[in-house]
Amino acid sequence: MTKLEQLQKMVDESSRIVFFGGAGVSTESGIPDFRGVDGLYRQRYKYPPEEILSHTFFQTHRAEFFEFYRDKMLCLDAQPNAAHRKLAELEQAGKLTAVVTQNIDGLHQKAGSKNVFELHGSVLRNYCLRCRKQYGAEFILNSSGIPTCTCGGVIKPDVVLYEEGLNQGTLSGAVEAISSADMLIVGGTSLSVYPAAGLVNYYRGDRLVLINKTATPLDGNADLVISGSIGDTLDRIAVR
Ligand code: NAD
């Protein structure tokens, strides 16, 4: 049996599939990842991206934070790709219970997925740090310098920066979904950002599949490892 046939068999035999993904899921939509071959970490900035996307940097260098954020993190024209679409189709067919994502781009929902745990928040939500008024992503994109609320407060994207904690409700929902899954597909993630990456350890079944272009620390534990594109791979899966 080919790896694709093995994947299809596992999907056919499962009814509580959970997908756990990261930035690699959106590279085929034109959004660069961090650690892939064309990732942001291979480009040169005045500060390393981890430092710019940290809570400390946000507090101390706000104008530079927003310059990088608007330029590299806000990809509002991006469209879902074959991976996002297939996952939405699997949910619609009653075979997939949840998508747990480290991405902040909102593309799973744009493709039609309903039960999405956004571990690191979303660029689509922004709020005033002083009065909590909500703002859309377009507002941030069209602002210049530090985006400011009508009350004078600073507007912060609802994304989890390095040094910040994850939302407890999102975290426990993701743990619950993964713990009760009968198949876990992990894809497009280097599994190097914690605590998010540790969530895959809550899966206890025997259908753990990894689909990634490069090796991950979980490859040795997986029941099936497919080295390749997540979009191409999921596109070939029949939903039945
Ligand atoms: P990462 O950049 O560390 O790793 C991405 C992984 O995906 C790499 O191993 C790469 O080889 C693989 N990959 C890239 N394109 C692929 C494809 N088409 N098919 C299969 N594999 C592919 O990403 P991460 O593990 O998600 O961690 C980075 C952090 O950065 C996350 O916390 C996330 O919040 C954030 N991030 C999000 C976005 C987004 O929202 N689209 C983009 C960049 C970074």
Side-chain angles (χ1 to χ4, degrees), residues 21-24 26-28 31-36 73 102-105 120 162 188-193 211-214 228-231:
S26 293
T27 53
E28 291 165 64
I31 303 180
D33 62 7
F34 280 174
R35 296 173 192 80
M73 308 304 291
Q102 299 166 86
N103 292 349
I104 54 177
D105 54 34
H120 295 155
Y162 288 100
T189 172
S190 62
L191 290 172
S192 53
V193 177
I211 308 169
N212 211 59
K213 281 193 173 166
T214 51
S229 142
I230 184 97

Side-chain angles (χ1 to χ4, degrees), residues 57-74:
F57 197 87
F58 179 79
Q59 297 292 44
T60 54
H61 299 72
R62 282 206 177 127
E64 279 156 302
F65 170 90
F66 277 108
E67 194 184 324
F68 178 88
Y69 180 83
R70 277 190 203 95
D71 198 26
K72 301 291 174 191
M73 308 304 291
L74 276 184

Side-chain angles (χ1 to χ4, degrees), residues 78-151:
Q79 295 302 322
N81 62 52
H84 299 105
R85 289 194 296 270
K86 185 60 55 125
L87 293 167
E89 194 185 335
L90 283 164
E91 183 187 52
Q92 184 90 44
K95 292 190 63 77
L96 180 140
T97 55
V99 167
V100 179
T101 183
Q102 299 166 86
N103 292 349
I104 54 177
D105 54 34
L107 289 183
H108 285 293
Q109 291 91 332
K110 208 169 185 177
S113 284
K114 302 281 182 244
N115 198 27
V116 183
F117 294 98
E118 293 176 309
L119 297 171
H120 295 155
S122 172
V123 299
L124 303 182
R125 299 184 298 265
N126 304 273
Y127 63 97
C128 170
L129 288 175
R130 189 190 286 171
C131 74
R132 300 272 146 180
K133 184 173 171 188
Q134 310 265 332
Y135 288 86
E138 296 284 349
F139 183 88
I140 308 292
L141 189 67
N142 297 327
S143 62
S144 56
I146 302 169
T148 310
C149 180
T150 43
C151 80

